[in-house]
Structure formats: structure tokens, C-alpha cells
Amino acid sequence: MGTTTTFFPVLTIAGSDSSGGAGIQADLKTITCLGCYGASAITALTAQNTTGVQDIHPCPPHFVEQQVSSVLQDIDIHAIKTGMLHDTETVQAVARALKTYYSDKSMPPIVCDPVCVSTSGHTLLHPDAVGAMARAIFPLSTVITPNTSEAELLLSTVEGLATKIVILEDMISASSKLLHYGSRAVLLKGGHITVTMSDISRIASGSPNIVILQEGFLRDSIEILQFHAKPRSAPLSDVRLAVDVLALSDGQVTLFVRPWIESQNTHGTGCTLSSALACELARGLNRDRSSPESGLATVMLVEATKNAILYVYQGIITAPSLGKGNGPLNHLHSIQNISVCKPNQYNQFPLTTHLIKNSFALWEAYVKHDFVRQLGSGTLDRKSFVHFIKQDYHYLRYYSRAYGYLAAKCTDFSAIEDSAKVILNVIDEIGKHRGFCQHFGVTPEELENTPESAATTAYGAYILDMGLQGRDSMKLFMALIACLLGYGEVGLWLKKEAEQDESWVLLDGNPYKPWIDVYSGTPYQESVKKGLELIEKRAAEDPPSEARLREWSAVWRKCAMLEKQFWDMAMNLS
Amino acid sequence: MGTTTTFFPVLTIAGSDSSGGAGIQADLKTITCLGCYGASAITALTAQNTTGVQDIHPCPPHFVEQQVSSVLQDIDIHAIKTGMLHDTETVQAVARALKTYYSDKSMPPIVCDPVCVSTSGHTLLHPDAVGAMARAIFPLSTVITPNTSEAELLLSTVEGLATKIVILEDMISASSKLLHYGSRAVLLKGGHITVTMSDISRIASGSPNIVILQEGFLRDSIEILQFHAKPRSAPLSDVRLAVDVLALSDGQVTLFVRPWIESQNTHGTGCTLSSALACELARGLNRDRSSPESGLATVMLVEATKNAILYVYQGIITAPSLGKGNGPLNHLHSIQNISVCKPNQYNQFPLTTHLIKNSFALWEAYVKHDFVRQLGSGTLDRKSFVHFIKQDYHYLRYYSRAYGYLAAKCTDFSAIEDSAKVILNVIDEIGKHRGFCQHFGVTPEELENTPESAATTAYGAYILDMGLQGRDSMKLFMALIACLLGYGEVGLWLKKEAEQDESWVLLDGNPYKPWIDVYSGTPYQESVKKGLELIEKRAAEDPPSEARLREWSAVWRKCAMLEKQFWDMAMNLS
């Protein structure tokens, strides 16, 4: 995501679903939304939509192998997910590609979703390939993620066990049996098994070693959430539950308990769960790359599984209802758009660029105002300059108070220090103002007693209001920075123009040179630099939603307008 | 994205790139990150990585047609993008599928990226299929997006024109000629043409009808951004530019001018650009579904193109440098993760759920404190209750002042009104406190003169500090709401326990019944409901970044702790 500079490459080896809800399409969407980088090896193409699978075109096994190899040889894959493997030859090709590449390296975590039959009943793995998958892929896998039908098929095909998974105890027993094939863990998905709270209680009382995670029910233990929900949720004892069982090779069994959801938008949930789990493991592994897959802590596996299940759950409850059949879930529920990218080598100031771009006409009217141009050419009426300096003196009182406000809102000493330093810089600046005034024959008493113009009050009181109101102390910051940067821009621009343009009076003959020197000079420009860096840093650390960015832009525009009116006031002597 | 409830389905018809940087993989990532729903028909599989294409497995044309039909017949596609079409039969199959489905409906916008040769030199469209594509697909297309090599190939193959595109004028002329094939617009990508500012000036002065958009150079006209960048950017006259030319059938020509970027991470830029453009058109079309593709306003096409180019540009400058060759761009630059989903039918209070879940032990210690339990059973020492009521009286003074603060921070009358109403409710609540006190023999004077406990000052001053500091007025809101909801929870829980549990003294015999009645009663619970709805609404409108959500959670936990210590204080008479 925009806030992450590390990408975790995840490879999915699976079928393609043209409708985009399952297969590598669901995997890539999941991987992208979880901030990882998705690569894919396609095992078979399906022409399908939410009503079913219309046709399948298998990919030649050697070509599947070539895809896997092309990816592994070039990209440092942090986790692998396998889905539809179609037939025995493909299973073997995948196993061969993995074993060949990782013959002398430790394998990253592998999540095997043993896809056998589609929801609509289409065969996605030839029956004779079930055993091959269990023997060739499961031993390489960190987790296998069968649903109950797949678990039954696996146990009957490979073990010759005519198992029926009907109740929760069957799931626990089957998941443990499936560990025999050599994966580190088995996540048996129970979406089709009817479970109630009494089943959970029975398990909890009979098997103290089974960990039961039921975070999905938090709301049921919070009275206010139950009382004020519309419609009120049914009593917990009456609710149908969905339970997924994670059995680990070290003997730990964890039940993930959630409310069962009545929804037809479940197309691709299995693909999404396994790829979300692969992403979680890729991230987890990254935290400790020194240890191979086998070093993944149990607690991390449980946490990863919990997060992956939550991702799918939220995808189902926010599903968009696309298509005429079993619609896809919503993969996008955990992301939002950001309008300003992070500072980068090509633009260190993307937020400032955005703010100026969004107020460009006003900004130009401010920084290239006639007042500024005449100041640069030395033709400005002295009365206007004196009026400006007197009003700016009053304005700077508001401005320094606003930094006091900012200091009061900061919670770390370095930010409090920064605000105090700005106040001291302003005190220095008003000293210069007193000097300009003296130079132009205005006494300190006259300066102090000059009545405040409406434009001064408007701008000064506005920045204080930004400090008071707002959902966001960045609004105050925006107001302060717009002023700081604008004068910095005026200073640099006037200096550059004076150097370049012969029609402008050389600065040395310009009565306003001391003013221009102040704002183009190093101390002031150091403050400009600090201000630029600070707003960019704060926006990068806490990227604004579109709503907040609109608010910041509005403050910026308002300040540009108030600054323009301030110059107007100086020229009109109003 | 999380903040959008409408999804715009976009279909990509293209090849698959196993390495994930180009092809349908790049398309799906782009479509996802731009908040649209991606479906895909795969024309050919490639085994490739960032160093080149290792192998190609074409998909049978009838199967391409079947994939397109499966999608169109089920999902209301808002825009289509075509990429690698491999050979003449595939071109014809795609054209047939589109014409058949849309024979009696208006076609959505189609963006045709006429992919011919890969960056690494691999043929991705048989030479004899170039003419077929121009004749069969271009006339259906809103925009075609060739690069200069593809434009040269198209003009020589189809028109017999031995065109060489070397300078900007060549691009403008070629883009206009390519309109002959019947697309509404031609976007000719100039990433490989060397352009300087003097070329732009020459075009601008000679062709007044050509619109030149050069937003990428804003920073070069802003002195502060140039002056403070490290390293400083080269003078505009020395900068190499990249120009894309959009020629429209109505005669308008637009140049999109950007700084050229020296980067090897350009794998998949063409795929990304065309799918980003398709997304922009899907969104634009959605704004006015009454008019067919032909009704897309020119201004919308230009805006869509500008946004798509910007998306690719930002993808290149933030690219992660994956792989050993030409790495993929960053598709994720415009999104960030959000940790709390929007209110939905399964959970109307996801933020509150998150806050309570993240502070659960503290929250339980607060709302199920011994003080609360003894209050419910009627066994609480009267001294403790009286001490509590006196201190709560003082606390409520802070609490009402904090709502005054909140009112001062609001900018709409309805929110100001809400705050004022809460203050009046608190005044009503302290009236009840006076009543409790009188009942327990405490005079109004004694109540007023009770010294404030440290726990009271801590909690009261803390919520006022939340009003002062913080990047976010939600911190104040969190502090206020944690208190409001906690007492609501206590009220409802005590009432329920009294009704359910026979070991508890029936409320009628409980000396603290009037207190429980207040907090479980309708007026107080109405406030609870309003508070719940307000924080959920504000979080949904302005989803917090992970950094801000951590801050909110910290405030919530602190308040739960201060509340717990408040009960402690009451029981210790401290």
C-alpha cells in the first residue's frame, strides 16, 4: 500500500476464473489488498461466471512448471499458495518445479488449498490426482485448507476411510487425521457444518486442550451493541455458527468460531482464504527471515489464520452482489484510496504540490500580486508599504499566538520546541518590522497604536479558529504553513526576478531590498524548509482520507485568499 | 474501496504474465486499486519474468470467446480493455464475442492496447494479425493506446506508410492518421521519444488548437519546491520530457507532458495505462449511464487520460525494484489499508467493536467492576456510593465543559446543537445526583464543597486535554464517548442481571435502583444510541489511518483505565 515501502512477493499456482471472483483473480486481488506483490502460475483456464463453470482449458503441465520456474528464478517469493491443480501431471509438475528450485534453499511457507470440486459441482481436480496431491504437495505445505467435502474425499481416497463429517467432533478428528500427509497444519473449513453454541460448550468442557477463539461474538457480550443494533441480534444460543478448525502437528487444535452468514456471495471464499493466509505468512516470515518455514511460531500460524478468516468474513458481509448466481465477495473492504503519494525521489513534496495545484489561480494571485511585483521593482508606493508593515505587525501577533496553540496541542517535546522556536523567529521578524518602520519614519508608539484593518483581523482570527476547531490539528498547521511558504515563495521569486530581468531595478537600488533580503535569506528559508518537511512527514505518517484532504485544501485556499486580500488592503490603504 | 459501495465491473481481455507485472495481472491489480471490479478473459499464457518471456502458450480462440461470453452474459461490464490478442483467430474470436453480445445493446467504452511486441522483443501478436486487429477491434474502441513502435507497425502494415516517429510532430501526425481505423480516440504513448521544452514551445506557438497539459511541472514554477528539493531539479530547459498525444475524432489534440523518468521499472506500464483508462471510463460512464459510449464527453476522455497517465507515472516513481530485469511498477501507491470496515448489516458498530476488542480486559475491569456488581446486588457500602456520587458530581463539571469544547470545535449547527443538548442532559443528570445525595443525607452545600479526589481530577482534566491536544478532535470525542457508553453498558448489564439471576436481589429491594434506572432508562440510552451512531458515522466518512486508529484506541484504553480507577477510588474512599 502507499504507506509501505516493502513488498512481500506471493506466488499463486492455481486456475483462472474469467469472472474474477475465484482462482488466481481472487488471489491477486487479495494479495494486492493485503499490500503484497502477486505473481501467478496458471494451471488451467476456466470460462465461468457466478452461475457455474462453462468450460475448462487445462494448461500443459510442462508449461505450468515453466511458469513457476520463471517466477522463482527471478523474484524472492515469500509465500506460495496452490489452488486448482487439475490433474496428476500438473500436481507432479508443480512439485517438481518447487523441489528443483528449493533443492538447496529453504522453502517459503506454502498454503495448499486442495481444490477438488467447484461450488457448482464441476470437477476441478481429476479424481485420480487426489492421492498425487496428498503425497506430492501436502508434505511441502505449511498449511492445507480443505473444506469438509474435500476432507472426506481425501480421507476416503488416500486412507480408505469412509469418513462423514457431520458434527464439530468429526471436524476435529478429520483435521488431525489429515496431518498424516505431512503438512505442518490443517485448516479444515466448516462453512457447511451446522454448529451451535451448545456444540462449542460441549467441546470446551470435554477437551481442555482445544483453544476456542470467538472474537466474532464480541458484540454479543456487550449489552449496548446488542441493545442498539437494528434488528437486535438473536440470542447467542439460537445463532448458527461457522467453525474452522486448525490442527497443528504439535498437537494444538484451535477453533475459530464466527456467526454463520446467510449469503449467496461466497464465490471464491476458499481461494481468498488461502491466499490471505499466504500473505499473512509472507509478512510473518519477513519479520524473521533468519529462520526457515519450519521455524514459524505456532502463535504466528494461529494469528495468521485468524486474520485470514476475518478478511474473508468481512469480504462476505460487504459483498457487492454481482452476477446472477453465487456472487464474489468484496476484496476491497480493507483498503481506501489516498490522493497524495508519499514523498519520493522525484517529488519530495507531494502534499505541498497537491495543495498548490488545487489552489493554483489563488496561489498565483497571492504570491505574484501587484504589491509583490511593485515591491520587486521598487516602484511600490511608500504609503502602501508602511501600511502593510503596520498591519503585518498586528498579524504577526495572531500568528505567534497560533504557534502557542500549536505547542499546546503537541505531545512530544521536539514538536513543542519547534513551535517555541517559530515564536522566537516571529519575535525576531517583528524586530525587523520595527526597523523598517523607523526607516520610513513610523515611531514604535505609532506602530503599536495603528488600528487593525479588517483584512488583518480576518486572517489572524481565522488561523486561531483553525487551532480551535477542526477534526484535525493539521488544519492549524495548514494555515500556518500557507503563510510561511507563501512569503518564502515571494522572497525567492523576487530575488530570482531581480537577478534575471534587466527591466527590474537591481535590488541594490531598491528601497525594499531589506524586506526582500529577510524573506529570501537563509534563516527564513531554513524555516520554510522545515515547514515543508514537517507537513510532508505528517501526511506520510498519517495519510489523509479524501475527506480530510479536501478540508486541508480548503484551509490552504482560504489562506491564499486572505493573503491576497491582505496585499489588496495594503494597496488600497483600507 | 472500503469507502465505496458501488463497484464498476471492468473486463480485461489479454495475456497472462506469470511474473505479475504485466498482462491481466497488472490489469487486475490496477482495476482493484482504482476501486473497480476486475474480470478477465485470457488470450494466451506467458511464462515470463522481469528478464524476458521464456515461453508462450496460446489459448484456443473458441475458448477466449467462451470466456468473454461467460463474463458478459452474467456481469454488467462498464468498460473493457483489450491487450495481447496473439493471432488473427483470437482477434476475430474477441470481435465476434463482443459483437454478438452487444448486437442489441450499446457497447461500454473499450480501450484497445494494441500489444504487438514485448519490451524484451518477444512477438505477442502474429504479424499477420496486425491488420485484423485494426479492422476488427479498432472500430469498436473508444481509445487505442499504441506506443510509437506499434504506431509505426500499424501505419506500415495497414496503410503501407513507411512512417518513422522520431520527433513530437511525427507523433501528432501519426496519432491523427491512426484515427482512420475508426476508434473515437488515439492515445499515442511517447515514452521512447526524446522531447524537450523547446519542442513543446514550438508546437504551442505553431498550433494554437493543440491543448498542452503539463501538470507534472508544477513544481518547476514554484520557487520553494525547487529551492528546497535535494538534489535541486535541473532547469526546465534541460529536462528530458515524456509526451503522450491524445488525438480525438472531433479534431482535438491534447499533449500530456511529464518529466521523463530514468527507470528500469517499466514492465507492464502499457497494460497498466490501458486498464487504468478503462477504469476511469467505467466510472465516468457510470455518472451518465443514459448515454452510450459515443456520448462520452471529450472533456471526460481528456480527464480520464490525464488520471490514467498520472497513475502510471506514480507507479513508476514508487516502483519497488523487484526481479533482476525490468521490474514492475508499484500498483499500490494510491491505496492504504484501513483496519475498521464500514458499518454493515452484520455489524452496525464496527469501530466501537474494534475499540472495545482492543481494550477488552480493561473494559471488563471497568464495566464489571466490584463496585458495579455490588451496586447491582444492593450490597455496596453506602459510604462508597455517596463518595462516588460526590466525585461524579465534580467529574460531570469537567465532562460538560468538554462538550462546550466540542461545540467550539464543530462547524455545523447540528453538531453544535448536539453538544449543547448533551450539556443540558448532564445538567439534568447532576440534578439527579443532588437527589441521590439528599436521599443519603448529603446537603447541596456539602456536595458542592467536597474536595476533588485525584482520580476525579485525573479523569476530568484528561478529557479536557484531549480537547486541547491531538491531531484530531476525534480524540476528544473518543474520551467523551468512552464514558457515555461505559455507563450505558453498566446500566443495561445491571438491569439484565437483575432480571435473569435469582441470586441477585431484585431491583425493587435495591437501594441503588434509582441510579440503575437512570443509566438503563430510555433518555440515557437514547444518548448512548446517538453517541454510537455518531462515532461510527464519523469514522465511516473519514476512515482513520492505522496511525490515527492507534491513537483513538489509546484514548479509549486510557479512559477505561481512568473509569476503573474512579470506581477504585469510590471503594477505597480515597
Side-chain angles (χ1 to χ4, degrees):
Chain A
M1 60 232 82
T3 53
T4 308
T5 45
T6 318
F7 290 75
F8 306 97
V10 173
L11 169 64
T12 167
I13 305 170
S16 157
D17 167 5
S18 55
S19 76
I24 62 129
Q25 286 78 4
D27 295 336
L28 290 167
K29 290 174 186 182
T30 302
I31 294 165
T32 300
C33 291
L34 291 177
C36 296
Y37 177 86
S40 59
I42 294 178
T43 55
L45 302 176
T46 69
Q48 67 174 291
N49 54 34
T50 67
T51 66
V53 178
Q54 282 81 46
D55 204 356
I56 296 182
H57 171 74
C59 177
H62 76 86
F63 196 81
V64 176
E65 191 173 351
Q66 177 64 61
Q67 292 175 79
V68 175
S69 300
S70 289
V71 173
L72 295 182
Q73 280 160 17
D74 188 42
I75 298 174
D76 178 23
I77 293 296
H78 281 41
I80 298 170
K81 167 248 159 94
T82 69
M84 173 186 181
L85 296 178
H86 194 257
D87 58 16
T88 303
E89 291 69 29
T90 304
V91 166
Q92 285 163 349
V94 169
R96 199 161 51 234
L98 294 176
K99 282 181 184 160
T100 304
Y101 181 75
Y102 292 111
S103 62
D104 57 352
K105 307 172 195 67
S106 66
M107 247 180 228
I110 296 179
V111 179
C112 172
D113 182 13
V115 176
C116 298
V117 178
S118 77
T119 315
S120 51
H122 229 89
T123 299
L124 301 177
L125 182 71
H126 283 191
D128 64 9
V130 173
M133 179 174 66
R135 281 184 297 272
I137 308 292
F138 289 6
L140 309 178
S141 302
T142 310
V143 192
I144 64 169
T145 63
N147 60 29
T148 47
S149 323
E150 287 156 355
E152 287 172 357
L153 184 65
L154 280 160
L155 290 172
S156 72
T157 306
V158 191
E159 303 269 298
L161 296 170
T163 311
K164 274 284 158 204
I165 300 174
V166 181
I167 61 169
L168 191 50
E169 278 85 347
D170 299 339
M171 286 183 68
I172 295 169
S173 147
S175 62
S176 297
K177 282 183 195 140
L178 287 165
L179 281 170
H180 296 172
Y181 307 131
S183 66
R184 169 87 183 280
V186 173
L187 176 61
L188 181 54
K189 298 172 291 190
H192 295 284
I193 302 293
T194 301
V195 179
T196 65
M197 212 27 117
S198 66
D199 297 315
I200 303 293
S201 308
R202 192 177 64 241
I203 300 285
S205 61
S207 325
N209 294 329
I210 295 181
V211 178
I212 296 172
L213 296 181
Q214 40 182 318
E215 295 197 18
F217 293 107
L218 184 69
R219 68 185 178 114
D220 296 284
S221 66
I222 308 293
E223 303 299 330
I224 45 172
L225 301 187
Q226 270 197 302
F227 187 81
H228 294 291
K230 272 186 211 158
R232 290 200 191 152
S233 46
L236 207 47
S237 54
D238 298 350
V239 171
R240 180 173 168 184
L241 307 176
V243 178
D244 301 312
V245 176
L246 179 72
L248 282 128
S249 55
D250 65 8
Q252 183 175 319
V253 173
T254 308
L255 308 190
F256 301 87
V257 184
R258 296 222 144 255
W260 187 82
I261 301 164
E262 176 66 51
S263 170
Q264 66 167 4
N265 300 316
T266 54
H267 182 76
T269 46
C271 305
T272 301
L273 178 65
S274 49
S275 48
L277 186 47
C279 291
E280 292 287 334
L281 295 178
R283 287 180 175 281
L285 187 71
N286 195 66
R287 286 182 216 121
D288 183 14
R289 291 232 70 177
S290 58
S291 63
E293 178 278 314
S294 59
L296 281 175
T298 293
V299 61
M300 207 273 272
L301 267 172
V302 172
E303 181 73 16
T305 306
K306 191 184 82 181
N307 292 344
I309 291 172
L310 181 63
Y311 179 78
V312 173
Y313 174 81
Q314 294 193 330
I316 298 173
I317 65 181
T318 61
S321 285
L322 280 181
K324 303 177 179 73
N326 290 312
L329 43 80
N330 170 20
H331 287 98
L332 290 71
H333 61 77
S334 65
I335 60 170
Q336 68 167 319
N337 273 81
I338 47 175
S339 305
V340 176
C341 68
K342 301 193 77 170
N344 55 70
Q345 59 171 315
Y346 298 96
N347 188 356
Q348 291 163 257
F349 314 117
L351 174 64
T352 313
T353 307
H354 177 93
L355 293 168
I356 295 178
K357 193 166 122 184
N358 266 274
S359 62
F360 198 62
L362 265 176
W363 173 261
E364 289 269 271
Y366 158 29
V367 299
K368 296 187 178 165
H369 194 279
D370 273 350
F371 183 94
V372 175
R373 293 174 189 273
Q374 294 179 16
L375 199 69
S377 63
T379 58
L380 181 68
D381 188 329
R382 291 169 72 112
K383 276 196 212 126
S384 286
F385 184 75
V386 169
H387 189 57
F388 162 70
I389 285 291
K390 286 157 131 187
Q391 292 300 325
D392 201 35
Y393 182 82
H394 287 314
Y395 168 74
L396 287 173
R397 193 179 298 109
Y398 287 106
Y399 189 73
S400 50
R401 285 171 61 204
Y403 270 96
Y405 222 149
L406 189 63
K409 284 170 166 290
C410 297
T411 50
D412 61 291
F413 278 118
S414 122
I416 296 169
E417 181 188 6
D418 286 346
S419 299
K421 281 183 176 164
V422 174
I423 296 178
L424 298 181
N425 288 343
V426 174
I427 301 301
D428 187 61
E429 200 175 343
I430 61 168
K432 299 216 168 72
H433 277 49
R434 288 203 191 95
F436 295 141
C437 282
Q438 201 153 16
H439 181 77
F440 286 99
V442 180
T443 65
E445 292 69 34
E446 191 185 341
L447 177 61
E448 200 66 51
N449 295 326
T450 302
E452 201 172 286
S453 291
T456 309
T457 310
Y459 194 9
Y462 177 74
I463 60 173
L464 285 179
D465 183 31
M466 288 305 97
L468 174 62
Q469 65 155 260
R471 61 173 113 209
D472 196 339
S473 69
M474 275 294 266
K475 284 176 85 164
L476 171 58
F477 218 44
M478 284 297 128
L480 296 171
I481 292 284
C483 176
L484 176 72
L485 299 195
Y487 274 57
E489 180 70 13
V490 167
L492 288 181
W493 183 61
L494 288 181
K495 196 172 169 214
K496 193 178 98 177
E497 291 291 320
E499 283 161 4
Q500 287 180 349
D501 190 340
E502 295 181 10
S503 73
W504 286 46
V505 175
L506 277 178
L507 273 185
D508 284 340
N510 187 325
Y512 306 116
K513 178 175 183 296
W515 191 93
I516 297 169
D517 284 344
V518 167
Y519 293 100
S520 61
T522 303
Y524 192 85
Q525 288 298 331
E526 280 300 308
S527 299
V528 168
K529 179 163 170 276
K530 185 146 199 173
L532 273 174
E533 287 168 354
L534 267 176
I535 53 169
E536 296 295 341
K537 182 163 169 274
R538 291 193 57 173
E541 285 172 357
D542 177 20
S545 68
E546 291 183 356
R548 278 204 302 147
L549 188 61
R550 274 196 301 276
E551 287 196 348
W552 295 359
S553 281
V555 173
W556 189 273
R557 272 197 305 276
K558 176 84 178 177
C559 286
M561 169 66 88
L562 288 164
E563 288 280 9
K564 179 200 163 293
Q565 289 169 348
F566 203 88
W567 301 129
D568 289 344
M569 170 268 288
M571 296 198 79
N572 303 338
L573 304 177
S574 60
Chain B
M1 60 232 85
T3 53
T4 308
T5 46
T6 318
F7 290 74
F8 305 98
V10 173
L11 169 63
T12 167
I13 305 171
S16 157
D17 168 6
S18 56
S19 76
I24 62 128
Q25 286 79 2
D27 296 336
L28 289 167
K29 290 175 186 182
T30 302
I31 294 165
T32 300
C33 291
L34 292 176
C36 295
Y37 178 86
S40 59
I42 294 176
T43 55
L45 301 176
T46 69
Q48 67 173 290
N49 55 36
T50 68
T51 66
V53 178
Q54 283 80 47
D55 204 355
I56 296 181
H57 171 74
C59 177
H62 77 86
F63 196 81
V64 176
E65 190 172 351
Q66 177 64 60
Q67 291 175 80
V68 175
S69 300
S70 289
V71 174
L72 295 182
Q73 281 161 16
D74 188 41
I75 297 174
D76 177 23
I77 293 296
H78 282 40
I80 297 170
K81 167 248 160 94
T82 68
M84 173 186 181
L85 296 178
H86 195 258
D87 59 17
T88 303
E89 291 68 31
T90 303
V91 166
Q92 286 164 347
V94 169
R96 199 160 53 233
L98 295 176
K99 283 182 183 158
T100 304
Y101 182 75
Y102 291 112
S103 61
D104 56 351
K105 309 172 195 63
S106 66
M107 247 182 230
I110 295 179
V111 179
C112 171
D113 181 14
V115 175
C116 297
V117 178
S118 77
T119 315
S120 51
H122 229 90
T123 299
L124 301 176
L125 183 70
H126 283 191
D128 64 8
V130 173
M133 178 174 67
R135 282 184 296 273
I137 309 291
F138 288 6
L140 309 178
S141 301
T142 308
V143 191
I144 64 169
T145 63
N147 59 29
T148 48
S149 324
E150 287 157 356
E152 287 172 358
L153 184 66
L154 280 160
L155 289 171
S156 71
T157 306
V158 191
E159 304 267 300
L161 296 170
T163 312
K164 274 283 159 204
I165 301 175
V166 180
I167 60 169
L168 192 50
E169 278 85 347
D170 299 339
M171 286 184 67
I172 295 170
S173 146
S175 63
S176 297
K177 281 182 196 141
L178 287 166
L179 280 170
H180 296 172
Y181 307 131
S183 66
R184 169 87 183 280
V186 173
L187 176 62
L188 181 54
K189 298 172 292 191
H192 295 283
I193 302 293
T194 300
V195 180
T196 65
M197 212 27 122
S198 66
D199 297 315
I200 303 292
S201 308
R202 193 177 63 241
I203 300 284
S205 60
S207 324
N209 293 331
I210 295 180
V211 178
I212 297 172
L213 296 181
Q214 41 182 318
E215 295 198 20
F217 293 108
L218 182 69
R219 68 185 176 113
D220 295 284
S221 66
I222 308 294
E223 304 299 330
I224 45 171
L225 301 188
Q226 271 196 301
F227 188 81
H228 294 291
K230 270 187 212 158
R232 288 195 194 157
S233 47
L236 207 47
S237 53
D238 298 349
V239 171
R240 179 172 169 184
L241 306 176
V243 178
D244 301 311
V245 176
L246 180 72
L248 281 129
S249 56
D250 66 7
Q252 182 175 320
V253 173
T254 308
L255 308 191
F256 301 88
V257 184
R258 297 222 144 254
W260 187 81
I261 301 164
E262 176 64 50
S263 170
Q264 65 167 6
N265 299 316
T266 54
H267 182 76
T269 45
C271 306
T272 302
L273 177 65
S274 50
S275 48
L277 186 47
C279 290
E280 291 287 334
L281 296 178
R283 287 180 174 282
L285 188 73
N286 195 66
R287 287 183 215 119
D288 183 14
R289 292 233 68 177
S290 57
S291 63
E293 178 278 313
S294 59
L296 281 175
T298 294
V299 62
M300 206 274 273
L301 268 173
V302 172
E303 181 73 14
T305 306
K306 191 184 83 181
N307 292 344
I309 291 172
L310 181 63
Y311 179 78
V312 173
Y313 174 81
Q314 294 193 331
I316 298 172
I317 66 181
T318 61
S321 285
L322 279 182
K324 303 176 179 74
N326 291 310
L329 43 80
N330 170 20
H331 287 98
L332 290 70
H333 61 78
S334 66
I335 60 170
Q336 69 167 320
N337 273 80
I338 47 175
S339 305
V340 176
C341 67
K342 301 192 78 168
N344 55 69
Q345 58 171 316
Y346 299 95
N347 188 355
Q348 290 163 256
F349 314 117
L351 173 65
T352 313
T353 307
H354 176 92
L355 293 168
I356 295 179
K357 193 166 120 184
N358 266 275
S359 62
F360 197 62
L362 267 176
W363 174 261
E364 290 268 271
Y366 159 28
V367 299
K368 296 187 177 165
H369 195 279
D370 273 348
F371 183 95
V372 174
R373 292 173 190 273
Q374 294 179 15
L375 200 68
S377 62
T379 57
L380 182 68
D381 188 330
R382 289 168 74 113
K383 277 194 212 128
S384 287
F385 185 76
V386 169
H387 189 56
F388 162 72
I389 285 292
K390 287 156 129 188
Q391 292 300 326
D392 201 37
Y393 181 82
H394 287 313
Y395 168 76
L396 287 172
R397 192 179 299 108
Y398 287 105
Y399 188 73
S400 51
R401 285 171 61 204
Y403 270 96
Y405 221 151
L406 189 64
K409 284 170 166 292
C410 297
T411 50
D412 61 292
F413 277 119
S414 123
I416 297 170
E417 181 188 7
D418 286 345
S419 299
K421 281 184 176 163
V422 174
I423 296 178
L424 298 181
N425 287 342
V426 173
I427 302 301
D428 187 60
E429 201 176 342
I430 61 167
K432 299 217 167 74
H433 277 49
R434 288 202 191 96
F436 295 140
C437 282
Q438 202 152 18
H439 181 75
F440 286 98
V442 180
T443 66
E445 292 69 34
E446 191 185 342
L447 178 60
E448 200 66 50
N449 296 326
T450 303
E452 202 172 286
S453 291
T456 308
T457 309
Y459 194 10
Y462 177 74
I463 60 174
L464 285 178
D465 183 32
M466 288 305 97
L468 174 62
Q469 64 152 261
R471 61 174 115 211
D472 196 340
S473 69
M474 276 293 267
K475 284 176 86 163
L476 172 57
F477 218 44
M478 284 296 129
L480 296 170
I481 292 283
C483 177
L484 176 71
L485 300 195
Y487 275 57
E489 180 70 14
V490 167
L492 288 181
W493 182 62
L494 287 181
K495 195 171 169 214
K496 193 178 98 177
E497 290 292 319
E499 284 161 2
Q500 287 181 348
D501 190 340
E502 295 183 10
S503 71
W504 286 46
V505 175
L506 276 179
L507 274 184
D508 285 340
N510 187 326
Y512 307 116
K513 178 174 184 296
W515 190 94
I516 297 168
D517 284 344
V518 166
Y519 293 101
S520 61
T522 302
Y524 191 85
Q525 288 297 332
E526 280 300 310
S527 299
V528 168
K529 178 163 171 277
K530 185 146 200 174
L532 273 173
E533 286 168 354
L534 267 176
I535 52 169
E536 297 295 342
K537 181 162 170 274
R538 291 194 57 174
E541 285 171 354
D542 176 20
S545 67
E546 291 183 357
R548 278 205 303 148
L549 188 61
R550 274 196 301 275
E551 287 197 347
W552 296 359
S553 281
V555 174
W556 188 273
R557 271 197 305 275
K558 176 84 177 176
C559 286
M561 169 67 86
L562 288 164
E563 289 279 10
K564 179 201 164 290
Q565 289 168 347
F566 203 88
W567 301 129
D568 289 344
M569 171 267 290
M571 297 197 78
N572 303 337
L573 304 176
S574 61

